[in-house]
Amino acid sequence: MKVLVINAGSSSLKYQLLDTGNQQVLAKGLCERIGIDGKFTYKAPGKDTVDAVDVPMPTHSEAIQAVLDALVDKANGVIASMGEIDAVGHRVVHGGETFAGSVRIDDRVMAALEACIPLAPLHNPANITGIRACQAVLGPGVPQVAVFDTAFHQTMPPVAYTYPLPYEYYEKDKVRRYGFHGTSHKYVSQRAAAMLGKPLESLKLISCHLGNGSSVTAIDGGKSVDTSMGFTPLAGLPMGTRSGDLDAGILEYLMGRYNLDIGEMLDILNKKSGVLGVSGVSSDFRDLGQAGEQGNRRAALAVDLFNYGVKKYIGAYAAAMGGVDAVIFTAGVGENSPEQRLAIASDLEFMGLKMDPAANNVRGKETVISTPDSKVKALLIPTNEELMIALDTAALA
Ligand code: ADP
């Protein structure tokens, strides 16, 4: 089946056309500056690359049209006609408590997505716009599926998702832990079972999605039972620019001292904190690694603080599940930084995890990176959210 995967943001739209039969990417790219002017990028194996060329994109509809035009282009396209697109899968950030899995989109689903907007006011409107644009351009004949970042975590028990706040805030306002990166955690857990040659239902896994945004998830028998992100993606680990968990009392203290309103405070917590805030150098772990090697102590501290945070979650989730069979590393840092993987998983021999420094010295490839006699396995698994979205879409369409 040929599935178009769409990840729409407020002014950008990433796309991939995948063949779910052989799991190949036929073409992929990016529309940027939607609503401003419009830049279009397109890459397909064996074809000419289109790199950030000007294409007017007043709305997401023109962006989708540009994608379709490129896909069917006589010289550079990969399909003969739009009719070859069997279905469209959309990444949707927040499904609230309504969606515990992917769904085929209809009017009822659209209404439920609208109802979730207050939970993700920046992301869901853009996702909805992307869906409407596809409906308008492709017509009602092509099935559209929504795949949620939150859905995989809907299996968490109340003890993991309830905040110790007055209970009516959960009942009336749906304030609870939702968790994010669900598509990635689900994908790598399935790959882990395949790599270990064991049924997913029999495994206790800890999945570490370490990128610009980072989260750790405890997966017991294939189900998410706890995760580090919360009501919003601001919770849990320190990240590129987000603070992660902190004492809420700090907010009042800093807002009072610097006369900040809540918007300014949240801007600091979302965009100026994390490893960027601590280092004062960069939110990019490659820059921090270099700066640290050149003797920048704050850059080194930022990386140490991040690694330490991941290690603490691994310990916590092993305790929460009463054991662990494998720890998975994925996303930008998890896939590409042998040094950080080693720093995170060192000193975990006490719980049966012994890293193999030689096996760990790889990037971006599915590999076991613990020693053959390690009771708990450490796995490097490149994530593939687009493939997961395409497979869910194909199954539902
Ligand atoms: P997101 O999808 O959340 O934007 P990614 O999963 O692409 O993020 O991860 C981006 C992060 O991965 C960046 O901080 C980047 O520095 C880090 N990264 C990529 N390659 C390396 C590397 N070789 N060593 C360390 N960090 C890396």
Side-chain angles (χ1 to χ4, degrees):
M1 215 176 193
K2 290 190 180 112
V3 176
L4 179 61
V5 173
I6 298 287
N7 182 353
S10 56
S11 69
S12 71
L13 183 151
K14 289 187 206 139
Y15 65 91
Q16 263 191 31
L17 183 69
L18 286 112
D19 185 334
T20 54
N22 57 16
Q23 306 199 347
Q24 292 299 307
V25 178
L26 302 174
K28 65 177 176 180
L30 174 67
C31 303
E32 292 168 286
R33 296 175 62 86
I34 301 168
I36 305 166
D37 40 26
K39 300 264 177 215
F40 183 72
T41 296
Y42 172 88
K43 288 180 191 153
K47 307 278 178 182
D48 294 342
T49 293
V50 177
D51 193 10
V53 299
D54 292 321
V55 175
M57 297 175 191
T59 71
H60 285 67
S61 289
E62 290 80 12
I64 298 280
Q65 191 60 58
V67 172
L68 297 172
D69 289 346
L71 292 174
V72 302
D73 184 75
K74 283 237 157 41
N76 248 337
V78 290
I79 50 177
S81 77
M82 254 160 54
E84 282 188 46
I85 299 173
D86 296 302
V88 184
H90 296 269
R91 178 200 178 205
V92 179
V93 169
H94 218 306
E97 286 191 319
T98 314
F99 299 106
S102 304
V103 279
R104 180 108 176 230
I105 296 168
D106 57 19
D107 290 345
R108 208 179 42 83
V109 169
M110 287 307 278
L113 294 182
E114 301 266 359
C116 289
I117 287 178
L119 297 172
L122 297 180
H123 292 101
N124 271 31
N127 302 150
I128 291 170
T129 306
I131 294 168
R132 291 208 194 286
C134 279
Q135 288 172 331
V137 178
L138 282 163
V142 181
Q144 317 246 355
V145 170
V147 180
F148 301 91
D149 272 23
T150 50
F152 181 57
H153 300 299
Q154 278 296 303
T155 45
M156 283 190 291
V159 72
Y161 72 66
T162 307
Y163 284 119
L165 290 168
Y167 198 67
E168 65 258 31
Y169 293 135
Y170 168 56
E171 289 182 307
K172 282 203 226 135
D173 306 299
K174 302 279 175 219
V175 174
R176 52 160 285 175
R177 182 186 306 280
Y178 289 100
F180 298 87
H181 292 144
T183 310
S184 173
H185 290 297
K186 181 177 171 188
Y187 174 77
V188 296
S189 67
Q190 292 180 351
R191 292 304 312 151
M195 282 173 77
L196 297 171
K198 292 190 176 150
L200 186 52
E201 294 69 33
S202 71
L203 293 170
K204 294 180 193 295
L205 302 169
I206 297 175
S207 157
C208 307
H209 178 110
L210 313 177
N212 202 12
S214 296
S215 67
V216 182
T217 295
I219 303 164
D220 196 347
K223 295 197 165 83
S224 169
V225 292
D226 207 345
T227 191
S228 61
M229 282 181 169
F231 179 65
T232 73
L234 181 54
L237 292 167
M239 306 181 211
T241 62
R242 293 182 210 139
S243 64
D245 287 343
L246 44 79
D247 177 351
I250 295 170
L251 273 65
E252 189 210 12
Y253 181 74
L254 287 179
M255 287 167 74
R257 274 179 90 84
Y258 294 101
N259 196 21
L260 303 169
D261 64 27
I262 189 67
E264 292 166 325
M265 188 71 239
L266 281 172
D267 198 57
I268 292 171
L269 297 179
N270 273 303
K271 298 187 184 149
K272 297 178 183 155
S273 298
V275 293
L276 169 68
V278 173
S279 68
V281 170
S282 174
S283 63
D284 190 302
F285 281 92
R286 282 166 294 201
D287 299 341
L288 296 176
Q290 276 176 9
E293 277 167 23
Q294 288 158 9
N296 185 317
R297 287 176 50 190
R298 271 171 55 190
L301 173 63
V303 177
D304 288 348
L305 196 118
F306 174 84
N307 295 342
Y308 178 65
V310 180
K311 187 195 294 274
K312 285 207 291 188
Y313 269 107
I314 293 172
Y317 287 166
M321 292 191 289
V324 55
D325 296 298
V327 176
I328 304 163
F329 292 93
T330 194
V333 177
E335 292 168 25
N336 293 300
S337 177
E339 300 80 12
Q340 286 190 250
R341 288 194 300 260
L342 212 52
I344 291 164
S346 62
D347 306 326
L348 294 182
E349 285 89 357
F350 79 92
M351 54 177 254
L353 197 164
K354 229 199 274 176
M355 288 291 278
D356 182 336
N360 178 51
N361 200 16
V362 285
R363 290 172 208 276
K365 150 171 164 235
E366 277 189 9
T367 335
V368 180
I369 54 176
S370 48
T371 60
D373 66 340
S374 182
K375 202 162 75 58
V376 176
K377 304 293 175 208
L379 308 175
L380 191 180
I381 305 180
T383 194
N384 194 340
E385 290 159 281
E386 290 79 11
L387 176 60
M388 192 80 247
I389 293 172
L391 292 174
D392 269 16
T393 302
L396 285 166

PDB file of all heavy atoms in Angstrom, residues 286-309:
ATOM      1  N   ARG A 286      25.825  18.017  20.230  1.00  0.00           N
ATOM      2  CA  ARG A 286      27.138  17.960  19.562  1.00  0.00           C
ATOM      3  C   ARG A 286      27.983  19.159  19.971  1.00  0.00           C
ATOM      4  O   ARG A 286      29.167  19.024  20.290  1.00  0.00           O
ATOM      5  CB  ARG A 286      26.976  17.946  18.043  1.00  0.00           C
ATOM      6  CG  ARG A 286      26.584  16.589  17.516  1.00  0.00           C
ATOM      7  CD  ARG A 286      26.098  16.680  16.106  1.00  0.00           C
ATOM      8  NE  ARG A 286      24.839  17.438  16.050  1.00  0.00           N
ATOM      9  CZ  ARG A 286      23.974  17.361  15.057  1.00  0.00           C
ATOM     10  NH1 ARG A 286      24.235  16.596  14.026  1.00  0.00           N
ATOM     11  NH2 ARG A 286      22.850  18.047  15.072  1.00  0.00           N
ATOM     12  N   ASP A 287      27.354  20.355  19.972  1.00  0.00           N
ATOM     13  CA  ASP A 287      28.085  21.567  20.379  1.00  0.00           C
ATOM     14  C   ASP A 287      28.543  21.444  21.825  1.00  0.00           C
ATOM     15  O   ASP A 287      29.645  21.862  22.183  1.00  0.00           O
ATOM     16  CB  ASP A 287      27.179  22.810  20.278  1.00  0.00           C
ATOM     17  CG  ASP A 287      26.688  23.038  18.859  1.00  0.00           C
ATOM     18  OD1 ASP A 287      27.315  22.495  17.932  1.00  0.00           O
ATOM     19  OD2 ASP A 287      25.677  23.747  18.699  1.00  0.00           O
ATOM     20  N   LEU A 288      27.674  20.874  22.667  1.00  0.00           N
ATOM     21  CA  LEU A 288      28.003  20.780  24.091  1.00  0.00           C
ATOM     22  C   LEU A 288      29.164  19.820  24.320  1.00  0.00           C
ATOM     23  O   LEU A 288      30.045  20.076  25.140  1.00  0.00           O
ATOM     24  CB  LEU A 288      26.782  20.319  24.888  1.00  0.00           C
ATOM     25  CG  LEU A 288      25.610  21.290  24.862  1.00  0.00           C
ATOM     26  CD1 LEU A 288      24.407  20.698  25.588  1.00  0.00           C
ATOM     27  CD2 LEU A 288      25.993  22.617  25.486  1.00  0.00           C
ATOM     28  N   GLY A 289      29.167  18.711  23.549  1.00  0.00           N
ATOM     29  CA  GLY A 289      30.259  17.748  23.652  1.00  0.00           C
ATOM     30  C   GLY A 289      31.588  18.426  23.329  1.00  0.00           C
ATOM     31  O   GLY A 289      32.574  18.295  24.064  1.00  0.00           O
ATOM     32  N   GLN A 290      31.591  19.185  22.226  1.00  0.00           N
ATOM     33  CA  GLN A 290      32.823  19.885  21.811  1.00  0.00           C
ATOM     34  C   GLN A 290      33.253  20.913  22.844  1.00  0.00           C
ATOM     35  O   GLN A 290      34.422  20.966  23.242  1.00  0.00           O
ATOM     36  CB  GLN A 290      32.589  20.622  20.494  1.00  0.00           C
ATOM     37  CG  GLN A 290      32.775  19.734  19.280  1.00  0.00           C
ATOM     38  CD  GLN A 290      32.433  20.477  17.994  1.00  0.00           C
ATOM     39  OE1 GLN A 290      32.223  21.694  18.000  1.00  0.00           O
ATOM     40  NE2 GLN A 290      32.356  19.742  16.908  1.00  0.00           N
ATOM     41  N   ALA A 291      32.284  21.722  23.280  1.00  0.00           N
ATOM     42  CA  ALA A 291      32.610  22.776  24.255  1.00  0.00           C
ATOM     43  C   ALA A 291      33.148  22.154  25.543  1.00  0.00           C
ATOM     44  O   ALA A 291      34.097  22.664  26.144  1.00  0.00           O
ATOM     45  CB  ALA A 291      31.387  23.641  24.531  1.00  0.00           C
ATOM     46  N   GLY A 292      32.523  21.042  25.951  1.00  0.00           N
ATOM     47  CA  GLY A 292      32.973  20.353  27.159  1.00  0.00           C
ATOM     48  C   GLY A 292      34.415  19.875  27.020  1.00  0.00           C
ATOM     49  O   GLY A 292      35.236  20.037  27.922  1.00  0.00           O
ATOM     50  N   GLU A 293      34.731  19.326  25.822  1.00  0.00           N
ATOM     51  CA  GLU A 293      36.105  18.843  25.593  1.00  0.00           C
ATOM     52  C   GLU A 293      37.106  19.986  25.623  1.00  0.00           C
ATOM     53  O   GLU A 293      38.265  19.812  25.994  1.00  0.00           O
ATOM     54  CB  GLU A 293      36.197  18.147  24.229  1.00  0.00           C
ATOM     55  CG  GLU A 293      35.735  16.697  24.279  1.00  0.00           C
ATOM     56  CD  GLU A 293      35.535  16.120  22.886  1.00  0.00           C
ATOM     57  OE1 GLU A 293      36.150  16.639  21.926  1.00  0.00           O
ATOM     58  OE2 GLU A 293      34.752  15.157  22.769  1.00  0.00           O
ATOM     59  N   GLN A 294      36.642  21.180  25.227  1.00  0.00           N
ATOM     60  CA  GLN A 294      37.547  22.338  25.247  1.00  0.00           C
ATOM     61  C   GLN A 294      37.602  23.002  26.618  1.00  0.00           C
ATOM     62  O   GLN A 294      38.131  24.096  26.760  1.00  0.00           O
ATOM     63  CB  GLN A 294      37.101  23.359  24.185  1.00  0.00           C
ATOM     64  CG  GLN A 294      37.384  22.887  22.766  1.00  0.00           C
ATOM     65  CD  GLN A 294      36.522  23.586  21.727  1.00  0.00           C
ATOM     66  OE1 GLN A 294      35.813  24.551  22.049  1.00  0.00           O
ATOM     67  NE2 GLN A 294      36.551  23.105  20.500  1.00  0.00           N
ATOM     68  N   GLY A 295      36.990  22.352  27.600  1.00  0.00           N
ATOM     69  CA  GLY A 295      37.138  22.846  28.970  1.00  0.00           C
ATOM     70  C   GLY A 295      35.997  23.720  29.476  1.00  0.00           C
ATOM     71  O   GLY A 295      36.078  24.287  30.564  1.00  0.00           O
ATOM     72  N   ASN A 296      34.910  23.835  28.683  1.00  0.00           N
ATOM     73  CA  ASN A 296      33.765  24.627  29.150  1.00  0.00           C
ATOM     74  C   ASN A 296      33.002  23.821  30.208  1.00  0.00           C
ATOM     75  O   ASN A 296      32.326  22.838  29.902  1.00  0.00           O
ATOM     76  CB  ASN A 296      32.855  24.980  27.970  1.00  0.00           C
ATOM     77  CG  ASN A 296      31.727  25.895  28.386  1.00  0.00           C
ATOM     78  OD1 ASN A 296      31.105  25.712  29.431  1.00  0.00           O
ATOM     79  ND2 ASN A 296      31.457  26.901  27.570  1.00  0.00           N
ATOM     80  N   ARG A 297      33.118  24.248  31.470  1.00  0.00           N
ATOM     81  CA  ARG A 297      32.577  23.424  32.560  1.00  0.00           C
ATOM     82  C   ARG A 297      31.061  23.430  32.595  1.00  0.00           C
ATOM     83  O   ARG A 297      30.437  22.442  32.978  1.00  0.00           O
ATOM     84  CB  ARG A 297      33.156  23.901  33.891  1.00  0.00           C
ATOM     85  CG  ARG A 297      34.615  23.470  33.993  1.00  0.00           C
ATOM     86  CD  ARG A 297      35.330  23.956  35.201  1.00  0.00           C
ATOM     87  NE  ARG A 297      34.626  23.700  36.429  1.00  0.00           N
ATOM     88  CZ  ARG A 297      34.995  24.221  37.594  1.00  0.00           C
ATOM     89  NH1 ARG A 297      36.033  25.013  37.661  1.00  0.00           N
ATOM     90  NH2 ARG A 297      34.303  23.955  38.683  1.00  0.00           N
ATOM     91  N   ARG A 298      30.454  24.548  32.205  1.00  0.00           N
ATOM     92  CA  ARG A 298      28.985  24.574  32.210  1.00  0.00           C
ATOM     93  C   ARG A 298      28.414  23.679  31.113  1.00  0.00           C
ATOM     94  O   ARG A 298      27.365  23.053  31.282  1.00  0.00           O
ATOM     95  CB  ARG A 298      28.482  26.003  32.070  1.00  0.00           C
ATOM     96  CG  ARG A 298      28.337  26.686  33.438  1.00  0.00           C
ATOM     97  CD  ARG A 298      28.049  28.154  33.306  1.00  0.00           C
ATOM     98  NE  ARG A 298      26.870  28.421  32.481  1.00  0.00           N
ATOM     99  CZ  ARG A 298      26.531  29.649  32.067  1.00  0.00           C
ATOM    100  NH1 ARG A 298      27.271  30.699  32.405  1.00  0.00           N
ATOM    101  NH2 ARG A 298      25.458  29.831  31.339  1.00  0.00           N
ATOM    102  N   ALA A 299      29.108  23.612  29.979  1.00  0.00           N
ATOM    103  CA  ALA A 299      28.650  22.708  28.906  1.00  0.00           C
ATOM    104  C   ALA A 299      28.752  21.263  29.384  1.00  0.00           C
ATOM    105  O   ALA A 299      27.843  20.457  29.170  1.00  0.00           O
ATOM    106  CB  ALA A 299      29.487  22.919  27.642  1.00  0.00           C
ATOM    107  N   ALA A 300      29.858  20.944  30.050  1.00  0.00           N
ATOM    108  CA  ALA A 300      30.034  19.579  30.566  1.00  0.00           C
ATOM    109  C   ALA A 300      28.982  19.276  31.632  1.00  0.00           C
ATOM    110  O   ALA A 300      28.409  18.180  31.659  1.00  0.00           O
ATOM    111  CB  ALA A 300      31.442  19.416  31.139  1.00  0.00           C
ATOM    112  N   LEU A 301      28.704  20.264  32.493  1.00  0.00           N
ATOM    113  CA  LEU A 301      27.688  20.076  33.533  1.00  0.00           C
ATOM    114  C   LEU A 301      26.310  19.806  32.906  1.00  0.00           C
ATOM    115  O   LEU A 301      25.563  18.932  33.366  1.00  0.00           O
ATOM    116  CB  LEU A 301      27.617  21.317  34.437  1.00  0.00           C
ATOM    117  CG  LEU A 301      26.476  21.325  35.460  1.00  0.00           C
ATOM    118  CD1 LEU A 301      26.614  20.186  36.470  1.00  0.00           C
ATOM    119  CD2 LEU A 301      26.408  22.675  36.188  1.00  0.00           C
ATOM    120  N   ALA A 302      25.983  20.558  31.835  1.00  0.00           N
ATOM    121  CA  ALA A 302      24.673  20.383  31.186  1.00  0.00           C
ATOM    122  C   ALA A 302      24.519  18.951  30.673  1.00  0.00           C
ATOM    123  O   ALA A 302      23.472  18.323  30.865  1.00  0.00           O
ATOM    124  CB  ALA A 302      24.524  21.388  30.043  1.00  0.00           C
ATOM    125  N   VAL A 303      25.566  18.425  30.034  1.00  0.00           N
ATOM    126  CA  VAL A 303      25.491  17.059  29.503  1.00  0.00           C
ATOM    127  C   VAL A 303      25.401  16.058  30.662  1.00  0.00           C
ATOM    128  O   VAL A 303      24.597  15.117  30.624  1.00  0.00           O
ATOM    129  CB  VAL A 303      26.709  16.745  28.593  1.00  0.00           C
ATOM    130  CG1 VAL A 303      26.660  15.306  28.110  1.00  0.00           C
ATOM    131  CG2 VAL A 303      26.749  17.704  27.416  1.00  0.00           C
ATOM    132  N   ASP A 304      26.209  16.288  31.710  1.00  0.00           N
ATOM    133  CA  ASP A 304      26.187  15.387  32.873  1.00  0.00           C
ATOM    134  C   ASP A 304      24.795  15.357  33.510  1.00  0.00           C
ATOM    135  O   ASP A 304      24.286  14.307  33.900  1.00  0.00           O
ATOM    136  CB  ASP A 304      27.203  15.838  33.932  1.00  0.00           C
ATOM    137  CG  ASP A 304      28.636  15.569  33.484  1.00  0.00           C
ATOM    138  OD1 ASP A 304      28.814  14.839  32.490  1.00  0.00           O
ATOM    139  OD2 ASP A 304      29.564  16.100  34.130  1.00  0.00           O
ATOM    140  N   LEU A 305      24.209  16.542  33.616  1.00  0.00           N
ATOM    141  CA  LEU A 305      22.894  16.663  34.247  1.00  0.00           C
ATOM    142  C   LEU A 305      21.828  15.902  33.451  1.00  0.00           C
ATOM    143  O   LEU A 305      20.961  15.232  34.011  1.00  0.00           O
ATOM    144  CB  LEU A 305      22.574  18.156  34.247  1.00  0.00           C
ATOM    145  CG  LEU A 305      21.524  18.767  35.074  1.00  0.00           C
ATOM    146  CD1 LEU A 305      22.222  19.751  36.023  1.00  0.00           C
ATOM    147  CD2 LEU A 305      20.588  19.579  34.207  1.00  0.00           C
ATOM    148  N   PHE A 306      21.935  15.993  32.128  1.00  0.00           N
ATOM    149  CA  PHE A 306      21.009  15.268  31.255  1.00  0.00           C
ATOM    150  C   PHE A 306      21.206  13.754  31.415  1.00  0.00           C
ATOM    151  O   PHE A 306      20.243  13.020  31.650  1.00  0.00           O
ATOM    152  CB  PHE A 306      21.248  15.694  29.798  1.00  0.00           C
ATOM    153  CG  PHE A 306      20.446  14.911  28.799  1.00  0.00           C
ATOM    154  CD1 PHE A 306      19.130  15.263  28.511  1.00  0.00           C
ATOM    155  CD2 PHE A 306      20.993  13.817  28.138  1.00  0.00           C
ATOM    156  CE1 PHE A 306      18.383  14.536  27.595  1.00  0.00           C
ATOM    157  CE2 PHE A 306      20.252  13.090  27.224  1.00  0.00           C
ATOM    158  CZ  PHE A 306      18.943  13.454  26.952  1.00  0.00           C
ATOM    159  N   ASN A 307      22.461  13.306  31.315  1.00  0.00           N
ATOM    160  CA  ASN A 307      22.736  11.867  31.423  1.00  0.00           C
ATOM    161  C   ASN A 307      22.274  11.326  32.773  1.00  0.00           C
ATOM    162  O   ASN A 307      21.698  10.236  32.867  1.00  0.00           O
ATOM    163  CB  ASN A 307      24.239  11.593  31.262  1.00  0.00           C
ATOM    164  CG  ASN A 307      24.738  11.943  29.870  1.00  0.00           C
ATOM    165  OD1 ASN A 307      23.950  12.078  28.936  1.00  0.00           O
ATOM    166  ND2 ASN A 307      26.041  12.110  29.735  1.00  0.00           N
ATOM    167  N   TYR A 308      22.535  12.108  33.814  1.00  0.00           N
ATOM    168  CA  TYR A 308      22.146  11.722  35.178  1.00  0.00           C
ATOM    169  C   TYR A 308      20.621  11.580  35.278  1.00  0.00           C
ATOM    170  O   TYR A 308      20.099  10.637  35.884  1.00  0.00           O
ATOM    171  CB  TYR A 308      22.671  12.781  36.141  1.00  0.00           C
ATOM    172  CG  TYR A 308      22.329  12.586  37.596  1.00  0.00           C
ATOM    173  CD1 TYR A 308      22.819  11.490  38.311  1.00  0.00           C
ATOM    174  CD2 TYR A 308      21.532  13.512  38.268  1.00  0.00           C
ATOM    175  CE1 TYR A 308      22.517  11.328  39.660  1.00  0.00           C
ATOM    176  CE2 TYR A 308      21.228  13.355  39.611  1.00  0.00           C
ATOM    177  CZ  TYR A 308      21.721  12.262  40.300  1.00  0.00           C
ATOM    178  OH  TYR A 308      21.419  12.109  41.620  1.00  0.00           O
ATOM    179  N   GLY A 309      19.913  12.512  34.630  1.00  0.00           N
ATOM    180  CA  GLY A 309      18.446  12.462  34.627  1.00  0.00           C
ATOM    181  C   GLY A 309      17.939  11.182  33.973  1.00  0.00           C
ATOM    182  O   GLY A 309      17.018  10.532  34.478  1.00  0.00           O
TER     183      GLY A 309
END
